[in-house]
Amino acid sequence: MTPIPPVDLSRQYAQIEEEATAAALAVLRSGYYVGGEAVHEFERRFGEWIGTEWSVGCNSGTDALYLALRAGGVGPGDEVITSAFTFFATAETISIAGAKPVFIDIDPQTFNLDLDLLESAVTSRTKAIMPVHLFGQPLDMTRLMAAARKYDLLVIEDCAQATGAQWDGRYVGAWGDMGAFSFFPTKNLGACGDGGAVTLNDESQTQTLRMLREHGSRQRYCHETLGLNSRLDALQAAILSVKLRYLTDWNRQRREAAQRYHKLLGDLPDVILPQETPGGAHVWNQYTVRVPGGADRRDRVREILRDKGVIAMVYYPLPLHRQPVYESLGYGEGSLPKTERVCWEVLSLPIFPGITEGEQEQVALALKAALKF
Ligand SMILES: Cc1ncc(COP(=O)(O)O)c(C=O)c1O
């Protein structure tokens, strides 16, 4: 039996092979490999698609977060409120920018920030909020923006896992001051390598982002600040422009696959299924269930699934506030109890455009059998 992988990108590629190959060949033949028309074209299309005036391509989602923080003026002495239940880059970039991540607990139903806890975390040093639309589930941006405006805080959305998700009919990345996207291959819009972008409506910040991604230089060999080499490759941009045309359909396929899991797993008493927040359109970068009973039980279920040919993943086993590098921030065990509990329970099942009904049935059968142990 062929194992069912967490994600199968070869199926996606098979669908676009002709167009992607033609686009890549055009770049190879052009002789312009960094910057140039393919990058401008993708930046224009992506901003238009998200619904912002500009999008600025860069090397990765990590760089998109970091560059957005810098362009927003976040630096030493500032605090940035965010989630501890996310990929490390969310907090890492805050720290590298010189600011301090301030973690608040999550709502275990949505895996996103618990907005009831937001206002009490605001101090005189708070400069920004970095909400994460985790697993493709959009956060309630109406509520978050109202709080941000009340305290005059910058909002940088971490949209790495949620390209195409909407809150109240508007795409994530078009709500905050800036949206940071990852085009890592497994993301909803994934390149054939690393890539990222920042979406925004402010012209001056757009100029700053372009300067920062070019070693702090607006004019060649004149450096007004420290930046990065963080450009989006022309090859990746050309492939992303092709893939962008398919994104709505791929996200629809993810939504359908999630509905199918809801039905297949709905009668399982021993597992908590993910739910879509009313008002949001989830794009299911992950379909993450919770297996109560502690990390050992969850890990055992995962092993049994693997023995039955189903590769499930644990995103994330250790929350950011408990990472060794953040020990000095002083978050003790139990300081974010919901985040910690969720880390022991989560299990992400295979989901990707092109997953078949048969494969999902096999996943469901395997999970039912695994839960009996
Ligand atoms: C929530 C989140 N933020 C940021 C990133 C960083 O993106 P990249 O891997 O493109 O640097 C990721 C990537 O996994 C992510 O999942």
Side-chain angles (χ1 to χ4, degrees):
M1 183 174 43
T2 324
I4 303 172
V7 50
D8 182 354
L9 296 174
S10 66
R11 294 183 208 185
Q12 203 183 54
Y13 182 67
Q15 207 185 337
I16 58 160
E17 182 161 5
E18 224 169 281
E19 284 170 88
T21 311
L25 274 178
V27 171
L28 290 176
R29 287 176 180 141
S30 76
Y32 287 96
Y33 305 136
V34 176
E37 202 30 54
V39 174
H40 297 150
E41 178 66 12
F42 173 69
E43 288 180 329
R44 195 186 55 70
R45 286 185 192 204
F46 189 62
E48 205 174 273
W49 199 90
I50 293 293
T52 55
E53 203 74 38
W54 287 283
S55 97
V56 178
C58 62
N59 213 278
S60 65
T62 304
D63 283 5
L65 288 168
Y66 173 73
L67 294 169
L69 286 159
R70 289 278 311 275
V74 175
D78 294 332
E79 292 178 354
V80 180
I81 299 172
T82 193
S83 172
F85 188 59
T86 171
F87 181 61
F88 183 57
T90 310
E92 180 188 34
T93 52
I94 296 169
S95 303
I96 293 176
K100 181 177 154 194
V102 172
F103 300 114
I104 60 173
D105 217 345
I106 56 162
D107 171 358
Q109 304 297 328
T110 64
F111 300 119
N112 283 332
L113 287 177
D114 180 349
L115 293 177
D116 286 342
L117 305 174
L118 185 62
E119 294 199 32
S120 57
V122 175
T123 72
S124 58
R125 287 173 178 265
T126 310
K127 171 90 179 183
I129 313 174
M130 190 181 274
V132 185
H133 306 291
L134 201 74
F135 302 150
Q137 168 99 280
L139 184 69
D140 178 342
M141 288 305 292
T142 316
R143 227 180 127 193
L144 183 125
M145 292 310 292
R149 295 301 169 242
K150 181 171 164 190
Y151 296 98
D152 196 21
L153 303 176
L154 181 81
V155 174
I156 297 172
E157 295 174 73
D158 184 338
C159 305
Q161 300 184 9
T163 312
Q166 294 183 346
W167 175 258
D168 196 17
R170 192 193 303 178
Y171 284 119
V172 301
W175 279 93
D177 297 286
M178 286 178 257
F181 289 83
S182 165
F183 303 130
F184 185 75
T186 58
K187 301 299 196 258
N188 292 49
L189 178 64
C192 294
D194 277 310
V198 180
T199 51
L200 71 171
N201 289 311
D202 184 291
E203 186 168 9
S204 144
Q205 282 174 338
T206 301
Q207 303 297 349
T208 307
L209 285 165
R210 290 181 182 150
M211 178 262 289
L212 288 169
R213 75 173 170 184
E214 291 271 0
H215 299 287
S217 161
R218 285 177 217 267
Q219 212 189 327
R220 196 172 280 188
Y221 304 126
C222 173
H223 304 274
E224 55 191 89
T225 186
L226 302 178
L228 296 175
N229 169 358
S230 184
R231 297 168 295 225
L232 180 64
D233 283 350
L235 264 176
Q236 301 307 341
I239 288 166
L240 285 165
S241 285
V242 170
K243 285 189 162 191
L244 188 58
R245 295 199 281 272
Y246 291 82
L247 183 58
T248 303
D249 184 50
W250 287 338
N251 280 342
R252 181 190 53 77
Q253 289 184 43
R254 286 178 183 273
R255 289 177 62 79
E256 282 173 10
Q259 292 304 327
R260 233 179 273 140
Y261 272 141
H262 290 341
K263 285 203 187 102
L264 288 166
L265 304 173
D267 60 350
L268 274 185
D270 222 12
V271 70
I272 302 167
L273 301 186
Q275 287 168 23
E276 185 171 48
T277 314
H282 197 315
V283 287
W284 303 99
N285 184 252
Q286 300 297 335
Y287 187 92
T288 303
V289 301
R290 283 159 56 204
V291 181
D296 287 349
R297 174 150 193 268
R298 185 269 317 276
D299 292 344
R300 180 81 189 110
V301 167
R302 186 181 181 202
E303 272 169 29
I304 298 170
L305 286 178
R306 195 195 49 217
D307 293 345
K308 292 180 179 297
V310 173
I311 313 300
M313 306 297 283
V314 174
Y315 306 117
Y316 298 91
L318 186 63
L320 301 192
H321 68 294
R322 302 292 295 152
Q323 293 288 341
V325 66
Y326 284 135
E327 214 177 294
S328 59
L329 293 180
Y331 291 87
E333 199 178 331
S335 55
L336 301 177
K338 290 175 185 156
T339 296
E340 287 164 42
R341 198 182 68 227
V342 156
C343 287
W344 307 328
E345 297 179 342
V346 281
L347 197 58
S348 295
L349 305 179
I351 192 163
F352 49 89
I355 191 169
T356 65
E357 280 187 48
E359 285 171 322
Q360 289 193 267
E361 281 161 13
Q362 196 181 320
V363 172
L365 277 177
L367 185 61
K368 280 178 193 170
L371 286 166
K372 290 203 182 105
F373 286 86

